[in-house]
Amino acid sequence: MAAVATLCPTVCSAVVVDNPEPVEDLPNEDVASTSKVEETQLEEKQNEKDEGDLYSVEMDEFQVPIVYRPEYNIKAFGIEKLHPFDAGKWGNVLKHLKNKKLLDESKIVKPREASKADLLLVHTPAYLSSLKYSVTVARITEVLVVAMFPNSILQSRVLRPFRYQTGGSVLAGRLAVEKGWAVNIGGGFHHCSGNRGGGFCAYADITLTITFVLKTFPNIKRVMIIDLDAHQGNGHERDFSNRRGIYILDIYNSFIYPRDEVAKKAINRRVEIAPFTENEEYLDRVVTHVEGALNEFRPHFVLYNAGTDVLKGDPLGLLSLTAEGIIKRDEIVWQKVRRRKIPMMMVTSGGYQRRTAAIIADSLANLNAKGFISLNPSD
């Protein structure tokens, strides 16, 4: 995930207030006409969900630990086209896997939407309240015109997909512990921390996922984040600063957003690379530092943030990997973690070109062929 600073000037700063309740999801197409009574009822329904509901989803025997649902995709009257991000990337990944005869809707596990109670495990009430202001959502999504839309529309069409993806990450965490591996075809909002969003990241799904894992599984005490998105993962770094039992490996382009010096202090193994780095040098760094990190820390659980904005031509990542390089990168990470029999999960994070969905699908197909994951429920 990343920021397009030119799209949202300084005036689009978050407006934080202490007590107002956020407007919640509005199911009607004509959201602008929904009455205040209906809004209140929907908000109460959302807020009454119990913390931990995200773990209540069961995986059937004919399913595999791939997490997705159509609500991940953002459709907001065309405003999603004003950002370079492919707002339908997640659904396109599934389409490509279906075309390969590897996966269909019946095999995937559908997550629940993260509720307010879930989000409050890691977010401050003030931050969640600030999301009821369209100017805050404009700053996070980096599309200035969003500030002019009714917040009810943004809640339903923009933030709700993010909440479903956040629920997907949390569920993938549980499935990874139980099944050995899992993939959320979404999530990876690594610029969002407990008190601030940014870079197209509204909810701290990485922090929340790890919080759920540590809270639910007492045998897991050491968690590693391998962040290979092109951008520094400053959100989870700020959240886990000085946190024992959390190890962060971050390989990123140091010349682009966010350049967060405070967050850098939380990185255990920081690998800064230059713009337009190509396959050979990049993959050499991945081999060296993933192996080194695993030997140094010996985690009980690994969360892999597999951004595809390292692809050559990405307007925000500014690196020069080929599609084959990204597929090989993922293979290296999965091979090194899985051979140690460590539960791991993957989130897809940034990637701003239309062809990244096909690359993610090709990578999952390669991992399946190499035996690091299995897309066959009978295996």
Side-chain angles (χ1 to χ4, degrees), residues 74-360:
I74 298 173
K75 296 179 181 179
F77 311 108
I79 61 174
E80 69 276 6
K81 297 177 182 178
L82 298 176
H83 190 283
F85 198 95
D86 177 6
K89 177 178 80 171
W90 311 282
N92 290 331
V93 172
L94 181 60
K95 287 180 183 178
H96 287 294
L97 289 170
K98 288 170 65 177
N99 290 340
K100 294 174 181 291
K101 311 296 185 187
L102 289 173
L103 204 62
D104 58 43
E105 287 88 346
S106 66
K107 291 183 180 181
I108 62 173
V109 185
K110 294 183 179 180
R112 298 183 188 276
E113 177 186 357
S115 69
K116 184 178 179 180
D118 297 317
L119 297 170
L120 282 171
L121 285 174
V122 297
H123 286 292
T124 64
Y127 173 69
L128 294 183
S129 293
S130 77
L131 295 177
K132 73 172 286 189
Y133 296 98
S134 296
V135 69
T136 305
V137 183
R139 179 185 61 78
I140 291 170
T141 59
E142 303 150 346
V143 181
L144 182 58
V145 71
V146 162
M148 303 179 69
F149 275 70
N151 188 259
S152 57
I153 292 177
L154 301 181
Q155 290 289 333
S156 177
R157 301 302 183 91
V158 179
L159 294 178
R160 191 180 191 200
F162 288 157
R163 289 195 294 269
Y164 269 114
Q165 291 192 44
T166 297
S169 293
V170 172
L171 177 59
R174 190 204 90 200
L175 294 176
V177 176
E178 295 176 350
K179 308 297 181 182
W181 68 272
V183 175
N184 181 21
I185 305 180
F189 303 133
H190 67 158
H191 296 308
C192 187
S193 65
N195 61 7
R196 184 177 177 84
F200 210 69
C201 302
Y203 301 109
D205 69 314
I206 292 177
T207 304
L208 185 61
T209 297
I210 292 173
T211 299
F212 262 88
V213 167
L214 291 173
K215 184 178 180 180
T216 308
F217 300 99
N219 60 313
I220 294 180
K221 301 183 185 301
R222 301 160 64 84
V223 174
M224 177 177 290
I225 300 170
I226 299 177
D227 196 334
L228 301 189
D229 186 275
H231 303 82
Q232 176 197 356
N234 62 318
H236 60 75
E237 289 162 6
R238 282 179 172 263
D239 284 339
F240 291 125
S241 180
N242 299 317
R243 173 75 178 270
R244 294 185 63 184
I246 307 293
Y247 185 106
I248 300 172
L249 162 62
D250 200 346
I251 302 177
Y252 60 93
N253 182 347
S254 60
F255 290 83
I256 59 174
Y257 174 91
R259 292 180 286 188
D260 188 333
E261 295 297 327
V262 173
K264 285 181 183 179
K265 297 175 183 178
I267 305 174
N268 301 90
R269 187 175 284 247
R270 185 170 79 229
V271 185
E272 298 184 338
I273 54 178
F276 310 111
T277 297
E278 298 181 345
N279 284 358
E280 184 176 0
E281 179 182 351
Y282 182 90
L283 293 176
D284 182 64
R285 299 283 189 92
V286 171
V287 169
T288 299
H289 292 288
V290 171
E291 182 75 18
L294 290 169
N295 289 337
E296 178 183 338
F297 184 68
R298 301 187 182 279
H300 302 148
F301 180 88
V302 171
L303 189 153
Y304 173 36
N305 194 49
T308 47
D309 49 1
V310 296
L311 181 65
K312 184 176 182 179
D314 190 282
L316 303 181
L318 299 182
L319 295 175
S320 294
L321 269 69
T322 64
E324 293 74 18
I326 292 174
I327 293 168
K328 185 62 178 178
R329 176 201 68 175
D330 292 348
E331 180 183 326
I332 291 167
V333 175
W334 279 85
Q335 187 267 340
K336 290 187 177 298
V337 176
R338 294 286 283 151
R339 79 177 185 188
R340 290 171 167 83
K341 303 187 185 306
I342 302 169
M344 74 173 293
M345 61 169 286
M346 185 175 96
V347 287
T348 57
S349 201
Y352 303 92
Q353 300 181 73
R354 299 288 169 178
R355 59 195 181 114
T356 58
I359 295 171
I360 294 169

Side-chain angles (χ1 to χ4, degrees), residues 21-24 38-47:
E21 293 297 318
V23 178
E24 291 296 341
E38 290 170 319
E39 289 183 8
T40 301
Q41 291 172 341
L42 288 164
E43 180 178 334
E44 290 173 350
K45 183 178 180 181
Q46 168 75 3
N47 291 345

Side-chain angles (χ1 to χ4, degrees), residues 15-54:
V15 181
V16 179
V17 290
D18 290 332
N19 296 314
E21 293 297 318
V23 178
E24 291 296 341
D25 305 328
L26 305 176
N28 298 334
E29 286 297 312
D30 187 11
V31 266
S33 66
T34 304
S35 71
K36 289 292 183 182
V37 173
E38 290 170 319
E39 289 183 8
T40 301
Q41 291 172 341
L42 288 164
E43 180 178 334
E44 290 173 350
K45 183 178 180 181
Q46 168 75 3
N47 291 345
E48 71 186 10
K49 292 179 182 177
D50 292 332
E51 168 207 317
D53 235 17
L54 299 179

